[in-house]
Structures are given as structure tokens and as C-alpha cells.
Amino acid sequence: MPPRLRARLLRVLSLLSILAVAACGGGEEAAGPAPPAPETGPRLAVDCGGPHCGAIDAHRYAGSGVGVWQYTNDTDDRVEVSVRIDGIPGKDVHLSYVNHSDTRQKLPLLELFLRSPYTGTAALLRAAAPAPARAGLPRPHAPYDLRALPRPRAKTASGPALARMAASASHRVGDTREWWVNDFSGGDNARAPRPATLRRRSSLDGADPRALNIWVEDAVTAAGVITDEALDQLQERIRSTYDRITRIAGPIWTETPYENIIGAHEDLNVVIVEPLEVLGYVNFTDAYVRHYYPDLPNIQQSNEALAVYMHARGIYAPDDVYTDAIQTFSHELTHLIFWFYRGILAGDDDQLDSWLNETVAEAMKELAYHPDDAAPSDTEARFQSWLSWGRRGGFNCDLRDMYPIPLPNRACYGYSTVNALAAFLMRHYGADLLVSLLHDFSSSDSFEILDHSLRQAGGDGFPALLRRFGTSAALFPAAASPPGFGYPARHGQDVFLIPLDGARYADINTLPGRVPLYLEPYGFFPFVRPLVQGSYRETLLVPPRSSLSLVIR
């Protein structure tokens, strides 16, 4: 080999040896492992933050605290999500599908397990059957049909001030009058006049002072079931509750621009009757002046008064009814307030749908509750009932359906569902949200109204709210859950909301034992993977327009 060619070959070999050493990192160090390939495809995201959040990142649990993750499918197709959470020290993994759409979504096939007892031991929970509904008891509340109501009529300069003429005269105890009452039996004689006597009259304070009249149907008085002491107690409880409600919502009734609607300074009447198929109701036709509607039979039955009708049994036998009488009063008075502001002053298009209308009434009922009240808040009893019916499918219910009672083949009970939703909303947003809903006219769609009010209150809107409400079956600890989850206590501004601690309900909240074919609109389906040690890995299908949440506590 010529010397020049040999020298060139040596230089090339030397350069190659230098490059080889550089590629190895120099010296005798071994090459490091190749970096992991970036994750592709849908995956869970952390859904909690702040105190008590145990989710470190998309794949790691801190080992303590409450970890929450979620995936939301905004498409019209099923999405396959590969789930991996590490660092689980022998805890249950709670999962829940939530339908965010107004149509049913087909659920995937799932293997179901019993969850561990709340203490974390290996024994299985005893399935607790819900207590059957007691026959013959009145339903808590009445459905409202606003379609038959006429539009209010604007006042004219020359027209008679009949609305003011219809204002109540100064009543005295012992006065009698007939009240048109609907007993909700559905028969031909369901609506009929009933004679009643004024038994108590006093003043109401708060943000809207006016007189209070308590009327008792003469047949109830003749039966001797309501004592003077019971009426005295009822009067004082109504006065204190009215004060709390008006301090939250403002005046219950004010001046209107309409001549066919009763005036602003009407007395508030509580009419106690029996029989009645519901515990209480308000009749919106009572606000209309009969003179203007001679050809409308339903308006001719107007009592031309602000009135709340209550079942006598709620007063003389409170242990036999579902809801305490004063909480029934709070619920029904809230319906009257919302109808006045959103129906009479605003218009038909601004009325809330029945599910949200009942939610705000349940919310006010709890906000107006005080620990010194004679009866405990019924929120806990309703929450317990809702959880117990979950085993029979009571979570997978269309939020918009307000069924009257749960049946063996129909576990959904609208009032229990909206009561649980109201309890969730009030514990995280308080009275300000309720007041916002009273005056929010951003849309004519109730879901959009709630979404807007939630965002105004600092929340993430209705989709996030529904997703987090849908994790309720995970039974969060009331005092140690991340913000936005569970049912913590809330105190302040004369509001006393009791905590609904998950441990208290563990023995009655047995999860569903079968997978339904469909996830109902705005319903949810909880399931569990018990006692996971180390890593939880599973590939799950998320239905269209639905979310998957995962909770470790």
C-alpha cells in the first residue's frame, strides 16, 4: 500500500473510533435506557386539586387523600380509554359513567364486583334493601302544569284597579271563608271549595313584611286533631322561616304592571286541609283576578290570594309523613317566589323546567333550615333514600323525569334525585347560586341557565358539575375531600348545612348488581374494582357524549 494511501486510511479509522466513544458517552459508561415513547390515544386527566387531592398526575395516586381522574368523550362515537393508575395501597377504585346528553347511550359490557367495606377490610358488604314506600301516605309535592295559565294583562290608565280591589281585607281570627282546594286525587271532584276558619293571624318580618293568616279547614277542626299548641308552634316556625327565606330571595311578591294579577301587599295565607294527596302545594291560578276571565273555569276557581296549602297530617302526625311541615312550607313558598319573578314578571319562556324548579325549591328548603328547628332537616333522609335505591338503578335516571314514587320496576324518584343535586349545589356554591338562578335570564334553556349561573359563581359549568355529582356513589369523606367533591358542611350567613359523610351511608349504598343496556340522559352508572394493590390497569369504552370518572379514597 502506498504511504499516502496508508496515512489517509489511518486518519479515517481514528475519526471513526472517536465518534464511537462519543456515542457511548465516553469512557466505560454503559448506554442509558431509551426514553419511553410518548403516550398516544385518549387517557384520563386529573380532576381534583387543592387540599386533600391525592392525584399526583394522570397515572399516579399519592397513596393517601382522595384522587379523582376523568375522561370526557365529546364525540358521537365510542372511545377506548387505556387506564393506568399506580401507587394504590390496597384500596377500591370507584368508577362512574355519566351521560351528558339528552339521549340514551349504550353502555359497554362490564364485569361488576362488590366493593369493600368503608374501613377497607376484605369482608363484603351486606346488600341493604331500600325500605318500601308506605302505602296511603301523601306524596311530598304536587306537579305543576303552567300551560293552562293565561298571560297577564297590562294595566290601562282608564281601567279599574281591580287587582288592588282584590287585595285581602283586614281579617280577624274567627273569620270564615271558602277556599278552592285541589286534593290531587285526579277525580271529577278533585277541585272543590272547602270552608275554613282563620285560627291564627300575626305579622311577618324580614325583607318583605306582610301579615300571616293560618286557616284550618272546618272538617279538620271538627276532628280535633290539631291543638292550639300545635298552631302556636307552627305560626312561630313559619315566621322565623319566612324571615330566612326573604333575607335570601328578597320580597316574595311586589307590584306588577298587570291589572289582572293580585296586588303587592297581599297577606300570606297558610291553608291547612285534609284529605290531600300531597303534603303541600301552591296554586298559581290564585294570583289571577277572576273578573277578567269569566270564560275560564280554572281561573274562576282562583282564591285571589297568596296561599300555601298544607296537609294537616304534616302537623298533627309529623312522624307519619316524609317531610316536616315547615320544610314543606319552605319548598312551596319557593315555588311561588320563582313563579312570580320568572313567570309573571318575566314571561313563559323564562320559566325553569320542572327538574330545576324542584331543585331550587329543595335547595331553599335546606338553606332555610336552622339547627334550632324542632325537626331535623329531611335532606339526610332523602339522601339516604337516594343512595339505597342506587342498587336498583336509582342513579341511572333521567334528571328531567319527576316520577311520583319509586316502584319495583322503576327505581327513579325525581324528588330524591333533585334533593341530592340541590344538596350538592348548595354545599359547593351556597345561597348566591340560588339567588343567581332566580334572576338569571341569559337563556330560555334550563341547562344553559344553570351552566351560566355556575360559571358566574366561579364554577366550571354544568358538564363538570354533572360529572362530579355523578361520583357521589364513591361516598366521599365530608371533611377531607378535594374542593368540588362530596357533601361537606357549609356554615355562614345564617346558613347551616350539615355534612353528608360517606362513611355514614356505606352500609346502605350497595352498588348496582347488573349493567343496564343504556345510560339514561343525564344519568350515571357507578361500579368498582375492589382492593387494588399497586397498579390498576383496564381498557374501558366511554360511550358518546359521556364521561368516565375514577375515584380512589
Side-chain angles (χ1 to χ4, degrees), residues 130-191:
R134 295 168 60 185
L137 295 185
R139 290 171 287 155
H141 308 287
Y144 294 98
D145 184 1
L146 305 177
R147 292 170 294 181
L149 296 178
R151 283 296 305 142
R153 183 166 137 179
K155 292 175 182 175
T156 60
S158 59
L162 289 176
R164 290 190 179 90
M165 292 168 60
S168 59
S170 180
H171 293 291
R172 294 183 179 182
V173 172
D175 287 354
T176 61
R177 66 161 288 181
E178 286 190 334
W179 291 86
W180 278 95
V181 174
N182 183 0
D183 66 12
F184 290 92
S185 64
D188 293 338
N189 298 319
R191 297 176 183 268

Side-chain angles (χ1 to χ4, degrees), residues 65-66 90-92 94 114-126 383 387 471-481 486-487 500-509 531 551-553:
V66 178
K91 295 191 174 190
D92 287 6
H94 301 264
L114 289 174
R115 67 168 153 215
S116 308
Y118 206 89
T119 56
T121 59
L124 294 179
L125 278 177
R126 171 176 52 84
F383 187 67
L387 290 176
T471 64
S472 295
L475 301 178
F476 288 82
S481 290
Y487 296 79
L500 301 175
D501 189 70
R504 290 175 57 88
Y505 310 101
D507 62 340
I508 56 96
N509 179 222
L531 296 176
V551 178
I552 304 173
R553 55 155 172 77

Side-chain angles (χ1 to χ4, degrees), residues 134 137 313-322:
R134 295 168 60 185
L137 295 185
R313 188 185 293 186
I315 300 163
Y316 71 78
D319 293 339
D320 288 346
V321 297
Y322 201 83

Side-chain angles (χ1 to χ4, degrees), residues 58-362:
H59 296 297
R60 287 187 296 165
Y61 175 57
S64 61
V66 178
V68 189
W69 296 260
Q70 68 86 22
Y71 174 80
T72 299
N73 178 9
D74 292 323
T75 75
D76 293 321
D77 299 306
R78 286 187 172 192
V79 172
E80 189 176 81
V81 178
S82 296
V83 178
R84 189 194 90 231
I85 303 293
D86 302 324
I88 306 174
K91 295 191 174 190
D92 287 6
V93 174
H94 301 264
L95 300 112
S96 183
Y97 284 118
V98 177
N99 187 350
H100 294 260
S101 72
D102 60 1
T103 57
R104 303 166 106 197
Q105 302 294 348
K106 192 171 183 180
L107 277 169
L109 294 175
L110 293 168
E111 189 174 7
L112 299 183
F113 300 86
L114 289 174
R115 67 168 153 215
S116 308
Y118 206 89
T119 56
T121 59
L124 294 179
L125 278 177
R126 171 176 52 84
R134 295 168 60 185
L137 295 185
R139 290 171 287 155
H141 308 287
Y144 294 98
D145 184 1
L146 305 177
R147 292 170 294 181
L149 296 178
R151 283 296 305 142
R153 183 166 137 179
K155 292 175 182 175
T156 60
S158 59
L162 289 176
R164 290 190 179 90
M165 292 168 60
S168 59
S170 180
H171 293 291
R172 294 183 179 182
V173 172
D175 287 354
T176 61
R177 66 161 288 181
E178 286 190 334
W179 291 86
W180 278 95
V181 174
N182 183 0
D183 66 12
F184 290 92
S185 64
D188 293 338
N189 298 319
R191 297 176 183 268
R194 300 194 196 180
T197 299
L198 182 60
R199 298 284 301 276
R200 293 292 184 274
R201 179 174 169 83
S202 61
S203 61
L204 294 168
D205 300 319
D208 187 20
R210 63 181 69 237
L212 168 67
N213 300 320
I214 299 180
W215 303 80
V216 180
E217 184 182 0
D218 290 349
V220 175
T221 300
V225 292
I226 296 184
T227 64
D228 287 339
E229 181 183 9
L231 286 175
D232 290 339
Q233 292 175 352
L234 178 67
Q235 177 178 253
E236 290 310 305
R237 294 182 68 196
I238 287 176
R239 294 182 69 218
S240 61
T241 301
Y242 179 89
D243 177 56
R244 293 176 212 150
I245 289 175
T246 55
R247 276 191 276 128
I248 293 171
I252 67 169
W253 204 268
T254 64
E255 196 64 55
T256 76
Y258 306 115
E259 62 184 1
N260 57 342
I261 298 296
I262 59 176
H265 305 296
E266 289 281 335
D267 295 352
L268 178 61
N269 300 276
V270 173
V271 186
I272 301 168
V273 297
E274 190 178 38
L276 192 64
E277 293 294 316
V278 295
L279 288 179
Y281 76 98
V282 290
N283 184 1
F284 296 148
T285 61
D286 282 349
Y288 289 85
V289 179
R290 293 188 298 268
H291 168 83
Y292 291 97
Y293 303 99
D295 299 324
L296 293 181
N298 63 321
I299 303 300
Q300 286 303 301
Q301 295 174 358
S302 167
N303 289 304
E304 296 182 345
L306 295 178
V308 175
Y309 302 86
M310 296 173 61
H311 198 302
R313 188 185 293 186
I315 300 163
Y316 71 78
D319 293 339
D320 288 346
V321 297
Y322 201 83
T323 301
D324 173 60
I326 203 65
Q327 294 173 61
T328 297
F329 169 79
S330 300
H331 180 107
E332 300 305 333
L333 186 64
T334 304
H335 282 316
L336 199 62
I337 295 169
F338 269 75
W339 181 64
F340 177 72
Y341 285 98
R342 301 195 64 93
I344 292 180
L345 292 186
D348 292 340
D349 291 340
D350 293 304
Q351 291 277 20
L352 299 179
D353 291 343
S354 60
W355 68 269
L356 188 53
N357 199 26
E358 297 298 337
T359 299
V360 297
E362 289 293 277

